[in-house]
Amino acid sequence: MRILVINPNTTVSMTKKIGEASENAASAGTTIVAVNPNKGPASIEGYFDEALSLTGLIEVVREREDYDAIILACFDDTGLDAVRCMTDAPVLGIGEAAFHMASMLSNKFSVVTTLSRSVSAIEHNLVRYGLATRCAKVRASEVAVLDLESGNGNARAKISAEITSAIENDNAEAIVLGCAGMTDLAATLSLQHGLPVLDGVACAINLAESLVRLGHKTSKLGGYAPAVYDK
Amino acid sequence: MRILVINPNTTVSMTKKIGEASENAASAGTTIVAVNPNKGPASIEGYFDEALSLTGLIEVVREREDYDAIILACFDDTGLDAVRCMTDAPVLGIGEAAFHMASMLSNKFSVVTTLSRSVSAIEHNLVRYGLATRCAKVRASEVAVLDLESGNGNARAKISAEITSAIENDNAEAIVLGCAGMTDLAATLSLQHGLPVLDGVACAINLAESLVRLGHKTSKLGGYAPAVYDK
Amino acid sequence: MRILVINPNTTVSMTKKIGEASENAASAGTTIVAVNPNKGPASIEGYFDEALSLTGLIEVVREREDYDAIILACFDDTGLDAVRCMTDAPVLGIGEAAFHMASMLSNKFSVVTTLSRSVSAIEHNLVRYGLATRCAKVRASEVAVLDLESGNGNARAKISAEITSAIENDNAEAIVLGCAGMTDLAATLSLQHGLPVLDGVACAINLAESLVRLGHKTSKLGGYAPAVYDK
Amino acid sequence: MRILVINPNTTVSMTKKIGEASENAASAGTTIVAVNPNKGPASIEGYFDEALSLTGLIEVVREREDYDAIILACFDDTGLDAVRCMTDAPVLGIGEAAFHMASMLSNKFSVVTTLSRSVSAIEHNLVRYGLATRCAKVRASEVAVLDLESGNGNARAKISAEITSAIENDNAEAIVLGCAGMTDLAATLSLQHGLPVLDGVACAINLAESLVRLGHKTSKLGGYAPAVYDK
Amino acid sequence: MRILVINPNTTVSMTKKIGEASENAASAGTTIVAVNPNKGPASIEGYFDEALSLTGLIEVVREREDYDAIILACFDDTGLDAVRCMTDAPVLGIGEAAFHMASMLSNKFSVVTTLSRSVSAIEHNLVRYGLATRCAKVRASEVAVLDLESGNGNARAKISAEITSAIENDNAEAIVLGCAGMTDLAATLSLQHGLPVLDGVACAINLAESLVRLGHKTSKLGGYAPAVYDK
Amino acid sequence: MRILVINPNTTVSMTKKIGEASENAASAGTTIVAVNPNKGPASIEGYFDEALSLTGLIEVVREREDYDAIILACFDDTGLDAVRCMTDAPVLGIGEAAFHMASMLSNKFSVVTTLSRSVSAIEHNLVRYGLATRCAKVRASEVAVLDLESGNGNARAKISAEITSAIENDNAEAIVLGCAGMTDLAATLSLQHGLPVLDGVACAINLAESLVRLGHKTSKLGGYAPAVYDK
């Protein structure tokens, strides 16, 4: 099967990291096609960046037909509903995927994301999915998305500190890492802290493979009825 | 004061109707500037159209500085969070405005909107605003947005039928009309059915004027922190 | 238009302050009639005081016919439902008004009110309005209502301290001042802390004017059906 | 022990019926003192009547010291919070009592009350108590409170029809009768329909006896801190 | 009347303590039959122990016919739904009983239970009953169930510390003790801290007596339809 | 990898059907071990049966060590929390799995299960998982579990009728089949009705494979801390 993994921002090094994480997570026989739009914001931190990325995101989807599933690799699940109207293939956001999986491994989880300004959008999504009751707290590590790329700012230590606090103060039983750029940190942090630490990219790849194997499609009744193009 | 009223779709006749409704609702001394993007979908019915309209919408806002408030005149409140990051002027969606006002006139209200495929997005917004508990039901009249423009399909009768059903079956005490294109129907339907029927355009204009007079600004802490351009 | 602004307690200096705040907030052409009942509690701090004030409050409304809207100027929104049954003019509570307006300027707000014993009633109202999900926390400054009048107890400093804590600990993006007696502090506190600080009196005046201009009435279907007098 | 049972309306025949129902429900050794205020509405149907009854209700409580618990015998739980500030004895509303008890006998219950205009207040209370999730539906039989007294209007048949509908359509597993005046109908309706039918008067008497035997008091911390009189 | 009080664990000294607490709480004329299963876990701390205890619990119920009500004396309300299918007599869990009663004495309560691992199950029950909105926090004192029996670990001091913290930090107006083994501590802690401290055993006995006196039965419609044996 | 699929009832033909469905759903390289307890109820319809099955279920798990994941193949997710305490391998219920997957394919889904008496337990689980807001309605087809095995009662037609009603009346965009015994009907019903119809057995197998590939474990912090045996 082929999975189209879209990084909605235009930072090629992130697309590369996401692509590698996707391939590591995928089964043999699954081809990962990791892409980003040509134009748009270099990072997505909050509502404005999300909105600005959508045209490029939609174009990426329109250009392609040969995929069995689509992953939106921004933790805000940017464009999730719009893209679901464009196909009946399964479409998953990495935030969504991580939330659902964390809910199967724990009673309660906390999220550790990048900047404070990103917290709201994540909280909105949790409410929408119904999983706000499963999330104790959405925490900001104050590490910018591009600092995850550049290595500035001691990203891992800051994220780790938030995890420690989540275990002590939130009674979190699992942690969801709240940014595609944190994908390579999950395993180490899990070992270090002794609880499940979930990376949305890997979760989404596996969930997408599952849905494809099951032959399940995005419903075309109601909210995800097929998009009408060129209105 | 000057209020920028943005019709996120590109149908000029709707922008004109919205502009007129805005001017009727505005106080003396308020200048209404009604615009639509140059490019984008001709109507917004559901998630995909919303997403496609955002780039044009954002451009409209970027081009202008001279406004005291912004109204997003699509009942889905398209782009609300993104635009709030672009200014500290008050920004209101017409759906949001109508929901809040209906909550001050009744214990429960129902919404009558256009197509079934639009219901989901409205329900999501109600949950986000906290007002889902005030809304008995979101009903689809199955009148397409552009049929409101063209007069096809007996729009008013279908909407009226849904209102009758809402009073009988939902115990609705007020009705919110779920499309900017229904703006001219509110008064007649209210008289006909004997309960408040709210048009989001008029509600939003008045709410925006209120916020400006109060000197209140969109908060720049947290989720609506200023957008970073040209990332 | 004429707006009847009722201070449900009998402290004339508060009525005067509320009246001035109302006039400052009102548009030219709006006449403010600020009144309080003849008998009843001198301040409203909690459920008992609310209940005791209602007979006088209802009398004030019964005596008058010449108003286009009514404001209940106690942050508990004392008598809101009862008065809505007495008229089809719009009726707003200042707590209600502030909560709705704060919801249009921020993702989350906190409330700073007077005594601990007043917190419960405010929390109940937030739940009723659906806006509990928009409120991070209701905080008590432990400043008594009448100390706001007398200047005892360093009211402003205590309220300011709670605002600082709300920004740090609640992630509040806006503040709602939880007492009619705080009406004169809003602007200074907003400047000092750099986020919207809302006064319910001013919010309510403007919202009432909006509803009257829109020609909207309190619904007479269901819970606010007309009161039957002299049962 | 002595239980003060207050009928907040002034209809003496209802006070008498409530008193008899209370005595039937009480244990040997419990004295029931059933009273109503001297002045106030003859029946309570909705928010306005509730508000108007409070001064008389409060006076009834102030005049008496010799009680171990207080029951407010109006299904709207009129004055519940205010009276709890006036004593540390247990205070129960008959609606509240019936909702809690129904929750111990079934997964879901429906309420059958008098007029449509009373539904809202009951729904508000259910939300406040947390028990809205346990209630499938609040139904209006359209029987006026005083028709229960006079025998007009075939009260029992109408209430019975609503119960039938609740079982079929709401999946209700128990019924709560939503008016003190229905107190004498519970046993017959239960037999007739084969499910628990709860009368709030009897529930409240027994709950009050339980709380007194347990030595439990209304908390004086927070919202029910002692009333300050003669402010 | 006869009340069957089942301690779902096999620790005879706890059954004895529960039996004594039950007798102290019961009215004259009520016979308490306190039993525990022959086999099963010695203490119930969390989900696994709950599940393991059910077969023995069910056997205890099957063996007996002569009871008017059943109390499940484990704070997790172990087996509540299953046992309700086995009889139409009222069946109450001690957690359930305490939550309902605390809700009649306060706006908000906190729970102080034994180990962290027990918190989740209690939180699940609160959500199920609808009373999660009435509970500020479920706290773990880290006192093991059997340490309550043996006197190890300074149980009372640890529980008391949690109560102090609940009053300060949770704004709790009442406390529910979260283990049958804490039954003898309630009165002293209430005196010490000056707020209602509820013991589920005593609450449940009284609630059960009330339901029996009222002649109310567990509904046999829907979820508690009679169990089919020997499938 | 090896997946232990437990049918909590003792009907061997159902275990066989579940085993076949599991094998069909599994990837090459996954070994399915489908088992049922030796003793216990022949079918699980409601709370009592669930409880009675737990000892046998727990024994099945205790006897085995060689598994990478466990599936509980009863739509009530019988024993889910208890079994999660017995291992750190992923443990999934088929109801849980289907709910999560349906949430990734639609805005809203309805459940079609067997008997009315089973609806409550499913509703409770939906609330616990946070997914009640994603489920429009839980419907009973009134087909008994063992009639699915025997072919009595025209199972498929009744289930199909409920699906039609769900699409028309609930606005369901997807259907979850609410019994392990319906596993073989999903594909045909999906084709027939034109929307996703999910079978929990297949969903759970794939989700379990995903979790194992990801190396994720059930958290041992908090509610799922390791069971203490032989207490």
Side-chain angles (χ1 to χ4, degrees):
Chain A
M1 78 176 80
R2 286 169 70 88
I3 300 181
L4 182 61
V5 180
I6 308 176
N7 168 20
N9 75 43
T10 54
T11 299
V12 171
S13 61
M14 270 190 79
T15 310
K16 192 156 172 295
K17 176 154 79 172
I18 288 166
E20 283 165 7
S22 301
E23 278 159 13
N24 288 342
S27 305
T30 297
T31 306
I32 299 296
V33 178
V35 297
N36 52 262
N38 289 329
K39 294 186 198 173
S43 65
I44 295 178
E45 289 157 327
Y47 297 122
F48 177 77
D49 299 336
E50 281 190 66
L52 216 56
S53 74
L54 288 179
T55 303
L57 177 61
I58 284 171
E59 226 172 273
V60 165
V61 177
R62 277 211 83 179
E63 289 170 352
R64 291 169 173 71
E65 272 179 14
D66 183 21
Y67 52 82
D68 297 292
I70 299 178
I71 306 280
L72 301 166
C74 169
F75 196 77
D76 288 2
D77 298 337
T78 307
L80 182 63
D81 293 315
V83 176
R84 278 186 177 148
C85 296
M86 299 178 71
T87 175
D88 69 348
V91 182
L92 296 178
I94 64 171
E96 174 191 40
F99 298 149
H100 280 285
M101 280 196 148
S103 298
M104 299 179 215
L105 300 170
S106 68
N107 289 286
K108 258 194 237 188
F109 61 87
S110 282
V111 179
V112 178
T113 189
T114 52
L115 302 180
S116 294
R117 66 177 308 162
S118 300
V119 168
S120 226
I122 295 169
E123 286 179 339
H124 281 167
N125 285 346
L126 280 161
V127 168
R128 266 210 323 146
Y129 304 147
L131 298 175
T133 57
R134 302 302 294 275
C135 177
K137 195 173 170 89
V138 179
R139 294 167 161 272
S141 59
E142 299 310 342
V143 174
V145 173
L146 294 183
D147 284 346
L148 289 165
E149 295 311 299
S150 64
N152 284 346
N154 202 6
R156 195 178 138 190
K158 288 179 182 171
I159 294 165
S160 188
E162 285 300 320
I163 294 175
T164 300
S165 186
I167 296 172
E168 276 176 35
N169 297 313
D170 308 343
N171 294 323
E173 301 180 2
I175 299 293
V176 170
L177 295 178
C179 176
M182 295 182 186
T183 188
D184 52 334
L185 301 177
T188 335
L189 289 167
S190 183
L191 226 84
Q192 178 184 342
H193 290 276
L195 84 174
V197 177
L198 287 85
D199 151 48
V201 174
C203 290
I205 292 293
N206 277 275
L207 275 166
E209 288 186 332
S210 295
L211 288 164
V212 173
R213 284 196 197 105
L214 287 163
H216 280 316
K217 304 286 188 190
T218 297
S219 180
K220 293 293 111 196
L221 300 192
Y224 299 134
V228 175
Y229 295 103
D230 307 316
K231 277 182 159 190
Chain B
M1 76 174 83
R2 286 170 69 88
I3 300 181
L4 181 61
V5 180
I6 308 177
N7 168 19
N9 75 43
T10 54
T11 299
V12 171
S13 61
M14 271 188 78
T15 310
K16 194 158 172 291
K17 176 155 77 171
I18 288 165
E20 283 163 6
S22 301
E23 277 159 16
N24 288 342
S27 305
T30 297
T31 306
I32 299 296
V33 179
V35 296
N36 53 260
N38 288 329
K39 296 187 197 171
S43 65
I44 294 178
E45 289 156 326
Y47 297 122
F48 177 78
D49 299 336
E50 280 190 68
L52 216 57
S53 72
L54 289 179
T55 303
L57 175 63
I58 285 171
E59 225 173 273
V60 165
V61 176
R62 276 210 83 181
E63 289 170 355
R64 291 169 174 71
E65 270 179 14
D66 185 22
Y67 53 82
D68 298 294
I70 299 178
I71 306 283
L72 302 167
C74 169
F75 197 77
D76 289 1
D77 297 337
T78 306
L80 182 63
D81 293 314
V83 176
R84 279 187 176 147
C85 296
M86 299 177 71
T87 175
D88 69 349
V91 182
L92 296 177
I94 64 171
E96 172 191 43
F99 299 149
H100 281 286
M101 280 198 149
S103 298
M104 298 179 215
L105 300 169
S106 68
N107 289 286
K108 260 194 235 184
F109 61 86
S110 281
V111 179
V112 178
T113 189
T114 53
L115 302 180
S116 295
R117 65 179 305 164
S118 299
V119 168
S120 226
I122 296 168
E123 287 179 339
H124 281 167
N125 286 346
L126 279 160
V127 167
R128 264 208 327 145
Y129 303 148
L131 298 174
T133 56
R134 302 303 294 276
C135 178
K137 196 173 170 91
V138 179
R139 294 169 162 269
S141 59
E142 299 308 345
V143 174
V145 172
L146 294 183
D147 284 347
L148 289 165
E149 294 312 299
S150 65
N152 282 346
N154 203 7
R156 195 180 136 192
K158 288 181 182 171
I159 293 164
S160 188
E162 287 297 323
I163 294 175
T164 300
S165 186
I167 296 172
E168 276 176 34
N169 298 313
D170 309 342
N171 294 324
E173 301 178 4
I175 299 292
V176 170
L177 295 179
C179 177
M182 295 181 184
T183 187
D184 52 333
L185 302 176
T188 334
L189 288 167
S190 183
L191 227 81
Q192 178 185 341
H193 290 275
L195 83 174
V197 177
L198 287 83
D199 151 47
V201 175
C203 290
I205 292 293
N206 277 275
L207 275 166
E209 286 186 333
S210 295
L211 288 165
V212 173
R213 284 197 196 104
L214 287 163
H216 280 316
K217 303 288 188 190
T218 297
S219 181
K220 295 293 110 193
L221 300 192
Y224 298 134
V228 174
Y229 294 102
D230 308 317
K231 276 179 155 188
Chain C
M1 76 175 82
R2 285 171 70 87
I3 300 181
L4 182 62
V5 180
I6 309 176
N7 168 20
N9 75 44
T10 53
T11 299
V12 170
S13 63
M14 271 189 77
T15 310
K16 193 156 172 290
K17 176 155 78 170
I18 288 165
E20 282 164 9
S22 301
E23 278 159 15
N24 288 342
S27 305
T30 298
T31 306
I32 300 295
V33 179
V35 296
N36 53 262
N38 290 328
K39 294 189 201 170
S43 65
I44 293 177
E45 289 156 327
Y47 296 122
F48 177 78
D49 299 337
E50 281 190 66
L52 216 57
S53 72
L54 288 179
T55 303
L57 176 62
I58 286 172
E59 226 171 273
V60 165
V61 175
R62 275 211 82 178
E63 287 170 356
R64 291 168 173 75
E65 270 178 14
D66 183 20
Y67 52 82
D68 298 293
I70 300 178
I71 306 281
L72 302 166
C74 168
F75 197 78
D76 289 0
D77 298 338
T78 306
L80 182 62
D81 294 315
V83 176
R84 280 187 175 145
C85 297
M86 297 177 73
T87 176
D88 69 348
V91 183
L92 295 178
I94 64 171
E96 174 192 40
F99 298 150
H100 281 286
M101 281 198 149
S103 299
M104 300 180 215
L105 300 168
S106 68
N107 289 286
K108 256 193 240 187
F109 59 88
S110 282
V111 179
V112 178
T113 190
T114 52
L115 302 180
S116 295
R117 66 178 306 163
S118 299
V119 168
S120 226
I122 295 168
E123 287 179 337
H124 281 167
N125 286 346
L126 280 160
V127 169
R128 267 210 322 146
Y129 304 147
L131 298 175
T133 58
R134 303 302 294 276
C135 177
K137 195 172 170 88
V138 179
R139 295 168 161 271
S141 58
E142 299 308 343
V143 173
V145 172
L146 294 182
D147 284 345
L148 289 164
E149 294 313 299
S150 64
N152 284 344
N154 203 7
R156 195 178 136 190
K158 288 179 183 172
I159 293 166
S160 187
E162 286 299 321
I163 293 175
T164 300
S165 187
I167 295 171
E168 276 176 34
N169 297 311
D170 308 342
N171 294 325
E173 302 179 2
I175 300 292
V176 170
L177 294 178
C179 176
M182 295 182 187
T183 187
D184 51 334
L185 301 176
T188 335
L189 288 167
S190 182
L191 226 84
Q192 177 185 340
H193 290 277
L195 84 174
V197 178
L198 288 83
D199 152 48
V201 174
C203 290
I205 292 294
N206 277 273
L207 275 166
E209 287 185 334
S210 295
L211 288 164
V212 172
R213 284 197 196 104
L214 287 163
H216 279 317
K217 303 288 188 190
T218 296
S219 181
K220 294 292 109 197
L221 299 192
Y224 298 135
V228 174
Y229 293 102
D230 306 320
K231 276 181 156 187
Chain D
M1 77 176 79
R2 287 170 70 91
I3 300 180
L4 182 61
V5 179
I6 309 177
N7 167 21
N9 75 43
T10 53
T11 300
V12 170
S13 61
M14 271 189 77
T15 310
K16 194 159 172 291
K17 178 154 77 171
I18 287 165
E20 283 164 6
S22 301
E23 278 160 13
N24 288 342
S27 304
T30 297
T31 304
I32 300 294
V33 179
V35 296
N36 52 260
N38 290 329
K39 296 187 197 171
S43 65
I44 295 180
E45 290 157 325
Y47 297 122
F48 177 77
D49 300 335
E50 280 190 68
L52 216 57
S53 73
L54 289 179
T55 303
L57 176 61
I58 285 171
E59 223 171 275
V60 166
V61 176
R62 276 212 82 181
E63 289 170 353
R64 291 169 174 72
E65 271 178 13
D66 183 22
Y67 52 82
D68 297 294
I70 300 178
I71 307 282
L72 302 166
C74 168
F75 197 77
D76 289 359
D77 296 339
T78 306
L80 182 63
D81 294 314
V83 176
R84 278 187 176 146
C85 297
M86 298 177 72
T87 175
D88 69 349
V91 182
L92 296 177
I94 63 171
E96 173 191 41
F99 298 150
H100 281 287
M101 280 196 150
S103 298
M104 299 179 215
L105 299 171
S106 67
N107 289 285
K108 257 192 238 189
F109 61 87
S110 282
V111 179
V112 178
T113 189
T114 52
L115 302 180
S116 296
R117 66 179 307 163
S118 299
V119 168
S120 225
I122 295 168
E123 287 178 338
H124 281 167
N125 286 346
L126 280 160
V127 168
R128 266 212 321 147
Y129 303 148
L131 298 175
T133 56
R134 302 303 294 274
C135 178
K137 196 173 169 88
V138 179
R139 295 169 162 269
S141 59
E142 301 306 345
V143 175
V145 172
L146 294 182
D147 285 346
L148 289 165
E149 294 312 299
S150 65
N152 283 346
N154 205 6
R156 196 180 136 190
K158 289 180 183 171
I159 294 165
S160 187
E162 287 299 322
I163 294 176
T164 299
S165 185
I167 295 172
E168 277 176 32
N169 298 313
D170 308 342
N171 293 324
E173 301 178 3
I175 300 292
V176 170
L177 295 179
C179 177
M182 294 181 187
T183 187
D184 53 335
L185 301 176
T188 334
L189 288 166
S190 183
L191 227 83
Q192 178 185 339
H193 290 277
L195 83 175
V197 177
L198 288 83
D199 152 45
V201 175
C203 290
I205 292 294
N206 277 274
L207 276 166
E209 287 186 334
S210 295
L211 289 165
V212 173
R213 284 195 198 104
L214 287 163
H216 280 315
K217 302 289 188 189
T218 297
S219 181
K220 295 293 112 195
L221 301 190
Y224 298 134
V228 174
Y229 295 101
D230 306 317
K231 278 179 155 190
Chain E
M1 75 176 82
R2 286 170 70 89
I3 301 181
L4 182 62
V5 181
I6 308 177
N7 167 21
N9 76 41
T10 53
T11 299
V12 170
S13 62
M14 271 189 79
T15 310
K16 193 158 173 293
K17 175 154 78 170
I18 288 166
E20 282 164 8
S22 301
E23 277 159 15
N24 288 342
S27 304
T30 298
T31 305
I32 299 295
V33 179
V35 296
N36 53 262
N38 290 328
K39 296 188 200 170
S43 64
I44 294 178
E45 289 156 327
Y47 296 123
F48 177 77
D49 299 336
E50 280 191 66
L52 216 57
S53 72
L54 287 179
T55 302
L57 176 60
I58 284 172
E59 226 172 272
V60 165
V61 177
R62 276 211 82 178
E63 288 171 355
R64 292 170 172 71
E65 271 177 12
D66 184 22
Y67 52 82
D68 297 293
I70 299 178
I71 306 283
L72 302 166
C74 168
F75 197 77
D76 289 1
D77 296 338
T78 307
L80 182 62
D81 293 313
V83 176
R84 280 186 175 147
C85 297
M86 298 178 71
T87 176
D88 68 351
V91 182
L92 295 177
I94 64 172
E96 174 191 41
F99 299 150
H100 281 286
M101 280 197 149
S103 299
M104 300 180 213
L105 300 169
S106 68
N107 289 287
K108 256 194 238 187
F109 61 87
S110 282
V111 179
V112 178
T113 189
T114 52
L115 303 179
S116 295
R117 68 177 306 163
S118 299
V119 168
S120 226
I122 295 168
E123 287 179 339
H124 281 169
N125 285 345
L126 280 161
V127 169
R128 266 211 322 147
Y129 303 147
L131 298 174
T133 56
R134 301 303 293 276
C135 177
K137 196 173 170 91
V138 180
R139 296 168 160 269
S141 58
E142 301 307 347
V143 174
V145 172
L146 294 183
D147 284 346
L148 289 165
E149 294 312 299
S150 64
N152 283 347
N154 204 7
R156 193 177 138 191
K158 288 180 183 171
I159 294 165
S160 188
E162 287 299 320
I163 294 176
T164 300
S165 185
I167 295 172
E168 275 175 35
N169 298 312
D170 308 343
N171 294 325
E173 300 179 3
I175 299 292
V176 170
L177 295 179
C179 177
M182 295 182 186
T183 188
D184 52 336
L185 301 176
T188 334
L189 289 166
S190 182
L191 227 83
Q192 178 184 341
H193 289 276
L195 85 174
V197 177
L198 288 83
D199 151 49
V201 175
C203 289
I205 292 293
N206 277 274
L207 275 166
E209 286 185 335
S210 295
L211 288 164
V212 172
R213 284 197 197 105
L214 287 164
H216 280 315
K217 302 288 187 190
T218 297
S219 181
K220 294 293 110 197
L221 301 192
Y224 298 135
V228 175
Y229 295 101
D230 307 317
K231 276 180 156 187
Chain F
M1 76 174 84
R2 287 171 71 88
I3 301 182
L4 182 62
V5 180
I6 308 177
N7 168 21
N9 75 43
T10 54
T11 299
V12 170
S13 62
M14 271 189 76
T15 310
K16 194 160 172 292
K17 176 154 79 171
I18 287 165
E20 283 165 6
S22 301
E23 277 159 14
N24 288 344
S27 304
T30 297
T31 305
I32 299 295
V33 179
V35 296
N36 53 261
N38 289 327
K39 298 188 197 167
S43 64
I44 294 180
E45 291 157 326
Y47 297 123
F48 177 78
D49 299 337
E50 281 190 67
L52 216 57
S53 72
L54 289 179
T55 304
L57 176 61
I58 285 171
E59 227 173 89
V60 165
V61 176
R62 275 212 81 179
E63 288 170 354
R64 292 168 172 73
E65 271 178 14
D66 183 23
Y67 52 82
D68 298 292
I70 299 178
I71 306 282
L72 301 166
C74 169
F75 197 77
D76 288 359
D77 298 337
T78 307
L80 182 63
D81 294 314
V83 177
R84 280 187 175 147
C85 297
M86 298 178 72
T87 174
D88 69 349
V91 182
L92 295 177
I94 63 172
E96 174 192 38
F99 298 149
H100 280 285
M101 281 198 148
S103 299
M104 299 179 215
L105 300 169
S106 68
N107 290 285
K108 257 193 237 187
F109 61 86
S110 282
V111 179
V112 179
T113 190
T114 52
L115 303 181
S116 296
R117 65 180 306 164
S118 299
V119 168
S120 226
I122 296 168
E123 287 179 340
H124 281 166
N125 286 346
L126 280 160
V127 169
R128 267 213 320 147
Y129 303 147
L131 299 175
T133 56
R134 304 301 295 276
C135 178
K137 197 175 170 87
V138 179
R139 294 169 162 270
S141 59
E142 299 308 342
V143 174
V145 172
L146 294 184
D147 285 347
L148 289 165
E149 294 313 299
S150 64
N152 283 345
N154 203 6
R156 196 181 137 191
K158 287 181 183 170
I159 293 164
S160 189
E162 286 299 322
I163 293 175
T164 300
S165 185
I167 296 172
E168 275 176 33
N169 298 311
D170 308 342
N171 294 325
E173 302 178 3
I175 299 292
V176 170
L177 294 180
C179 177
M182 295 181 185
T183 186
D184 51 335
L185 302 177
T188 335
L189 289 167
S190 183
L191 226 83
Q192 178 185 339
H193 290 276
L195 83 176
V197 178
L198 287 83
D199 151 47
V201 175
C203 290
I205 292 294
N206 277 274
L207 276 166
E209 287 186 334
S210 295
L211 288 164
V212 173
R213 285 195 198 105
L214 287 163
H216 280 316
K217 303 287 188 190
T218 297
S219 182
K220 295 293 111 194
L221 300 192
Y224 298 134
V228 174
Y229 294 104
D230 307 318
K231 277 179 154 190

